Amino acid sequence: MSGGGTAQFSRAIFVDTAGMVTTRKTVFEMRNPDNRPSIWVRFRPDGSPADTIHEPPAPQLGKVSARADRVSTSAPVPFAPIRFVAISPLGYLVAGYPNRYAFEIHQPGRPVVSVRRDVKPEPVKRSERAEGRKSTEERMRQTDPNWTWNGPEIPDNKPFYHGLQVGLDGRIWISLTRETGPKIGGLTGTSGVGPGMPRSPRPAADREPTKPTLYNVFEPDGRYLGYVTRDE
């Protein structure tokens, strides 16, 4: 590709309940490598092109970066929320940004449905903040020994959830604790800032000890069903 063009790479392919074949692609802009939107290209059962679904606009990921000579390093700000987007087997997108307990259902041709719950935020402890900042600084200074903090500050509160997935039946699963093992069978994959995009590992202070994974489960239309706990 030329320096000012774009490149597309397929990351997934599946068939929804209407028989539509969907492939997910991440678009890389050569002039703006940090902008990596995802799109879903859909084909009818006979193989003919149907349409393209674009990822909803997302906030920029809170991150820091370091550069020395031709080497560059970046990392997410500890405890910064990460955008999640998943496509439902029923043929639409579900997206959430866990700076609050909310997610959106984007059905083509219909108003966006916003699902919210009134949940008390969990503050970032002073020790967690200090350790997260220290670990990030150590990592960045491996690239630039004179590096100083150049990103957003560590948030006061932790993300309200750590994953968003959609089951084969269209139910929406919100992970309230991080998963440390295989995901529940029959779920489409959790995604980050852009679906399928690699994420830099978080500093050690942002890794919670192993504990049961707790999910809130919602019907495809957003109605709350209840919670499920999975022991590791």
Side-chain angles (χ1 to χ4, degrees):
M1 303 296 293
S2 63
T6 62
Q8 297 182 5
F9 299 89
S10 178
R11 300 302 300 256
I13 185 169
F14 60 93
V15 180
D16 67 20
T17 55
M20 301 283 280
V21 179
T22 302
T23 180
R24 183 180 64 210
K25 296 177 180 292
T26 300
V27 180
F28 297 85
E29 297 184 4
M30 303 307 180
R31 291 179 178 174
N32 186 10
D34 288 335
N35 185 27
R36 301 182 180 185
S38 290
I39 60 174
W40 289 262
V41 182
R42 300 202 301 175
F43 299 86
R44 299 181 181 90
D46 63 5
S48 61
D51 57 15
T52 299
I53 302 175
H54 292 265
E55 173 184 328
Q60 289 290 326
L61 172 66
K63 66 179 183 179
V64 295
S65 60
R67 185 176 181 84
D69 298 326
R70 297 185 178 181
V71 178
S72 61
T73 305
S74 64
V77 172
F79 303 104
I82 294 176
R83 177 65 177 268
F84 295 103
V85 182
I87 191 164
S88 170
L90 305 181
Y92 50 82
L93 293 181
V94 181
Y97 186 65
N99 64 331
R100 58 180 180 169
Y101 195 119
F103 61 88
E104 298 174 341
I105 301 171
H106 296 258
Q107 296 192 49
R110 297 184 181 182
V112 174
V113 176
S114 180
V115 180
R116 305 179 184 185
R117 298 199 76 201
D118 186 12
V119 178
K120 184 179 180 180
E122 181 181 354
V124 177
K125 298 177 183 177
R126 181 179 300 178
S127 59
E128 293 173 324
R129 181 185 303 276
E131 182 58 31
R133 189 177 183 101
K134 178 182 176 182
S135 299
T136 303
E137 290 174 343
E138 290 176 349
R139 180 179 177 184
M140 294 297 103
R141 287 171 183 164
Q142 291 177 2
T143 299
D144 177 4
N146 299 315
W147 184 84
T148 58
W149 196 272
N150 58 11
E153 289 300 318
I154 296 174
D156 293 331
N157 298 315
K158 297 179 181 179
F160 278 84
Y161 54 88
H162 300 288
L164 184 157
Q165 304 169 333
V166 184
L168 294 179
D169 56 3
R171 287 177 173 171
I172 300 161
W173 294 65
I174 300 295
S175 176
L176 302 184
T177 55
R178 287 195 180 88
E179 297 186 59
T180 58
K183 298 179 177 63
I184 290 179
L187 293 179
T188 61
T190 301
S191 56
V193 183
M197 287 180 53
R199 288 205 299 247
S200 300
R202 287 178 175 266
D206 198 17
R207 296 177 193 154
E208 298 176 359
T210 300
K211 55 185 177 181
T213 303
L214 175 64
Y215 301 90
N216 281 165
V217 186
F218 298 81
E219 290 284 17
D221 61 5
R223 288 180 293 121
Y224 179 64
L225 280 176
Y227 68 90
V228 174
T229 300
R230 179 172 68 87
D231 292 329
E232 302 297 340

